[in-house]
Amino acid sequence: MEIGIDSFASAMYGDNNTLSSVDAMEQLLQRIELADQVGLDVFGIGEHHKKEFLDSATAVILAAAASRTNTIRLTSAVSVLSAADPVRVYQSFATLDLISKGRAEIVVGRGSSIEAYPLFGFNLNDYDQLFKEKLELLLQIRDNEFVTWSGKFRPALNNLPIYPRALQEKLPIWLGVGGTPESFVRAGNLGLPLMVAVIGGQTHRFRPLIDLYREAGKAAGFTTKELKVGLHSPGYVGSTNEKAIADYYPGYAELWTKLGKERGWPPVTKGQFDSLIDEKGVLVVGNPEQVAEKILRHSESLGGISRFTFQMDNAGLTHSQLMNAIELIGAKVIPLIRKAE
């Protein structure tokens, strides 16, 4: 199982913190560099177009990280393909692949944050149609140097070459999904690896959806090896369980209560948080032993996963706390998981 981190390049540091965007970006790059040094397998950068985040130009951040790392794979988490041009997405990540010497990946999705749609002139009523059409084009570009294609939302391509080409013969493209059955079936039909974002509730409830993915993939003729499943969940590792909770809970409660006001959710309570960090809850928060055990339990409950990524910069944690967590993941969590596999 690959272990990594997904970041939204959070610029939320509290009302009294004067950390500049320049310093926040430098600290993010330092965390990616450390993740590479301590043996994490993958680091992902999301895509948002909001004041609180610095990740609107995902491939640019990853390219900067590529120049400071050696082995860690670098991916989007996710690229909002519906509001982007597939030609430019491929070109950006093919360029990243050249810079990183073959370490680039893309996770594409429709986006749970919808600010990209009006920003780039797309209609939310076309939410699924946009994604379906653009994913088809992106895959065709990935697999062919010269492309002939026509669709509804983009001008046609008539035997046009698209450069540069990625170093990897088949640039990895994962499909990022939430809880829509159709998305799981789509990924299976296309034989794409699946990255499941589970941010609330109990992780095992996604098993029926993952079974749909595997059944669709096998029916379409893809092998078990091709039908990889990744899991993206909020999490944090501390030296002790008590310290992990003390570090993580205040910022988590603040952020999710704020989001709740925007999306109609009730405020976060400590009781709800405690249910999310129990053995079946989604939050992977605790000491290294507890975290490793929980990741392995989640994998078993989902029928086996190939990748797990922590989403850690969503709880107001300091750079120092995040760096310590990365060191613990590399030094303790990963060895425990490798030993148990």
Side-chain angles (χ1 to χ4, degrees):
M1 187 192 310
E2 295 177 322
I3 304 296
I5 291 172
D6 291 332
S7 172
F8 298 162
S10 174
M12 296 184 291
Y13 294 92
D15 295 335
N16 298 320
N17 196 304
T18 58
L19 187 71
S20 70
S21 294
V22 170
D23 290 338
M25 187 65 75
E26 172 58 26
Q27 289 181 358
L28 172 61
L29 292 172
Q30 289 175 12
R31 294 196 292 274
I32 302 174
E33 192 172 5
L34 178 63
D36 179 59
Q37 292 169 356
V38 301
L40 273 69
D41 299 294
V42 60
F43 205 107
I45 300 293
E47 180 189 338
H48 298 82
H49 302 271
K50 296 180 178 181
K51 183 178 181 180
E52 297 90 347
F53 304 104
L54 301 173
D55 61 347
S56 62
T58 306
V60 177
I61 298 174
L62 293 172
S67 69
R68 299 167 65 152
T69 56
N70 297 302
T71 61
I72 196 166
R73 297 193 67 78
L74 301 166
T75 184
S76 57
V78 304
S79 295
V80 184
L81 184 61
S82 303
D85 183 343
V87 174
R88 294 299 284 165
V89 170
Y90 178 82
Q91 290 174 325
S92 295
F93 281 86
T95 303
L96 171 64
D97 204 44
L98 298 176
I99 294 169
S100 66
K101 299 180 175 62
R103 293 185 282 131
E105 299 186 3
I106 315 174
V107 180
V108 296
R110 295 178 296 183
S112 59
S113 296
I114 58 174
E115 71 276 357
Y117 290 81
L119 185 63
F120 296 108
F122 294 101
N123 191 328
L124 271 173
N125 291 329
D126 300 322
Y127 187 75
D128 191 64
Q129 284 183 294
L130 279 163
F131 184 73
K132 181 179 179 181
E133 178 177 297
K134 293 187 176 189
L135 178 59
E136 173 193 308
L137 176 55
L138 180 62
L139 293 174
Q140 192 168 336
I141 294 168
R142 192 265 306 267
D143 296 338
N144 300 277
E145 183 176 343
F146 286 79
V147 176
T148 297
W149 175 92
S150 63
K152 177 180 177 181
F153 300 103
R154 189 200 186 282
L157 298 169
N158 185 17
N159 197 36
L160 290 177
I162 295 173
Y163 303 116
R165 305 306 299 175
L167 176 61
Q168 296 175 85
E169 183 177 352
K170 196 166 186 176
L171 183 67
I173 296 176
W174 296 62
L175 188 58
V177 298
T180 307
E182 292 78 9
S183 297
F184 287 79
V185 172
R186 174 186 288 144
N189 287 337
L190 295 171
L192 295 177
L194 186 75
M195 179 55 71
V196 187
V198 183
I199 60 174
Q202 296 183 330
T203 300
H204 72 272
R205 66 191 174 91
F206 280 78
R207 177 62 183 268
L209 295 171
I210 290 173
D211 287 344
L212 279 177
Y213 162 70
R214 291 182 169 128
E215 289 163 6
K218 289 176 183 177
F222 296 100
T223 66
T224 301
K225 186 177 179 180
E226 292 173 297
L227 300 172
K228 296 192 292 187
V229 175
L231 176 62
H232 158 109
S233 290
Y236 175 69
V237 186
S239 56
T240 68
N241 186 51
E242 293 76 18
K243 178 167 175 51
I245 293 171
D247 288 349
Y248 190 83
Y249 174 69
Y252 173 86
E254 180 182 353
L255 172 64
W256 286 92
T257 295
K258 179 182 177 182
L259 288 174
K261 290 180 180 178
E262 298 172 0
R263 302 186 183 186
W265 306 331
V268 173
T269 67
K270 185 59 165 57
Q272 291 171 334
F273 177 80
D274 289 342
S275 70
L276 292 174
I277 62 172
D278 71 13
E279 64 176 22
K280 293 184 179 180
V282 64
L283 296 182
V284 185
V285 176
N287 64 41
E289 293 75 20
Q290 289 174 312
V291 164
E293 289 172 5
K294 191 163 191 178
I295 292 171
L296 290 166
R297 276 200 307 273
H298 282 342
S299 178
E300 183 179 3
S301 71
L302 297 177
I305 62 174
S306 300
R307 175 177 292 181
F308 178 86
T309 55
F310 293 85
Q311 210 287 304
M312 292 199 300
D313 61 358
N314 64 339
L317 296 162
T318 67
H319 177 58
S320 176
Q321 288 171 324
L322 292 170
M323 292 284 274
N324 288 337
I326 290 169
E327 289 183 345
L328 288 170
I329 292 169
K332 296 188 176 182
V333 175
I334 290 177
L336 287 167
I337 290 174
R338 298 282 190 269
K339 184 178 179 180
E341 286 182 318

